[in-house]
Amino acid sequence: MSTHVLTLSQIYGSDPIGELVLDRLKVKPIYAAAFFVFTGILYAYLLPALWGYPSEVDGINLLNIVLVFPVAGFFYAYQPQSILRTYGSVMRFLRAEEQHHTIHFDKIARTHASKVLWIIGLLFGLLGAGFGISYSIQHFGEFWYSANWSQILFVQFVRFLAFYCIGVAAGRHIATSIELNNLFEHADFPLTLDADRLEVFRSVKSFALQFVGVAAIIALNLGLQPLLIEPPVLEYTIYVTLYFIVAPFSFFLPIWEAHLRMTRIKNEMLDQLHYDFQEESQRLYHEFKEQGVKPPIYLKEAENLIQLEKMIATVSKTLVWPFEGTTVYRLAATVISPFVLVIFEIFINIASGLLVAI
C-alpha cells in the first residue's frame, strides 16, 4: 500500500530497541540520556561499594557516564525527529519548485526498514562490549568494573547499549543520506550566492552538522584517553581511524548529490552564456566588417556583450555547495576538537625536546 507521508515509526524501521523504547514506550531523548547517567552511577559507585571496592572512577569512565553515553542515548532518541524534519523540508522544496519528480515515500520507508541499519548497531555494540569484556577478564578482580562476573556483564551490557545507539545512529544517517541524494538527483536548484537563504539547504546542512557534532562529543573519549590512561593499542587505533573517516564523510554524504546537481546547473548556464557571448561578438564583428559601424552606434550595439559579461561574472560567483565556505572551517575545527589537548601535548613535547637539544 502506497503512502504519501512519512512517520516516526517508519524512521525507526526494523530497529527492535527503537520499536520498543521509542515507538511503543515513547521514551523522550532526555530520559534516554538519564538512563545512561543512572546506570553509570549504579555500576560505578553503588555496586562497587556493595562488592567492597573503593569509589575510584578514572577520568575516561567518568566522561562516559556524564557525557559520552548520555549524548549517545539522547541522539539515538532525538535523531528520528531530525530526520523527519529534514525530509519534510526537502519535500516542501520539491513541491514548491513544481518538480516533475515523484517522491517515492514507500522506497524511503523501505530503506529505513532495512535490517542492515540495526545490525550495524548490533555489530558496533558487540565490538565495544567485546573489547571491554576481554580487558576486564585480563584484570579480573583488580578493579571495580571487573570485580566479578555480574559486575562485568552489567557494565558491558550498558556499554553495548551505548555503542548500539551510536551504530544505529550512523546507520540511520547513511540511509537518510542515500534517500536525500535520490531526491536531489533531478531537482533544479536556483543559483545562489548565499546558501543559507534557502530553507532546504539550511535544513540539510543542519542535519549533517548535527551528526558530526555528536560524533565529536563522543570522540572526546578517544581524545582524552592518552592523557588519562594507557589505552589498548588495537582498540584505540580502530576507533580513531573510524572516527576520522566517518565524521567528515558523514557531513558530505547527504549533500553530495545536491553539490553535483548545483555544479551541473551552474556549468550548463555558463556554457549557454559563453555561447551567447561568442555569438553576439561574432555578429558585431560581421557588422563592423561589412557595414563599417560608427562609434556611437557600435557602443549601443555592444550593450548586449556588456550585459552578458556581467551575467557570466555573476554566475561564476554562485555556489556549487549547499553551504557557505566558512562551514568547511567549522567542520574541520569540530572534527579535530576532541584531540586538541593531545595535539597540544605533542607540540609541547616536541618543543621541549628541541629546547633541550639546543
Side-chain angles (χ1 to χ4, degrees), residues 44-55:
Y45 294 99
L46 302 182
L47 288 180
L50 181 64
W51 311 133
Y53 284 78
S55 298

Side-chain angles (χ1 to χ4, degrees), residues 12 269 348:
Y12 300 144
M269 286 195 67
I348 292 297

Side-chain angles (χ1 to χ4, degrees), residues 19-93:
E19 183 180 1
L20 173 63
V21 175
L22 303 180
D23 198 16
R24 293 185 184 179
L25 299 180
K26 308 297 183 185
V27 172
K28 297 183 182 300
I30 190 65
Y31 296 134
F35 166 81
F36 283 103
V37 174
F38 172 75
T39 54
I41 294 172
L42 181 61
Y43 70 60
Y45 294 99
L46 302 182
L47 288 180
L50 181 64
W51 311 133
Y53 284 78
S55 298
E56 296 177 352
V57 180
D58 60 58
I60 293 301
N61 278 292
L62 185 61
L63 183 68
N64 285 339
I65 293 169
V66 302
L67 184 63
V68 175
F69 289 0
V71 165
F74 181 93
F75 189 66
Y76 171 78
Y78 169 80
Q79 187 193 34
Q81 302 170 30
S82 175
I83 290 172
L84 203 60
R85 284 196 300 270
T86 303
Y87 278 135
S89 175
V90 172
M91 290 170 186
R92 283 194 300 272
F93 169 77

Side-chain angles (χ1 to χ4, degrees), residues 141-172:
E142 293 182 34
F143 309 107
W144 60 266
Y145 51 79
S146 59
N148 51 52
W149 274 108
S150 62
Q151 176 74 349
I152 290 174
L153 292 177
F154 181 53
V155 171
Q156 299 310 321
F157 175 69
V158 176
R159 182 179 169 92
F160 165 82
L161 289 178
F163 276 66
Y164 178 89
C165 290
I166 296 168
V168 170
R172 287 183 192 147

Side-chain angles (χ1 to χ4, degrees), residues 220-250:
L220 278 172
N221 178 297
L222 299 174
L224 295 178
Q225 278 190 33
L227 303 177
L228 301 174
I229 62 173
E230 186 176 341
V233 176
L234 177 60
E235 181 182 3
Y236 187 76
T237 303
I238 289 173
Y239 290 147
V240 171
T241 303
L242 282 174
Y243 170 72
F244 277 106
I245 292 174
V246 170
F249 178 76
S250 65

Side-chain angles (χ1 to χ4, degrees), residues 10 68 79 126 128 147 162 185 192 251 268 271 285 298:
Q10 290 172 321
V68 175
Q79 187 193 34
L126 291 174
E185 188 175 1
T192 178
F251 175 78
E268 287 174 357
D271 288 344
Y285 169 73
Y298 74 61

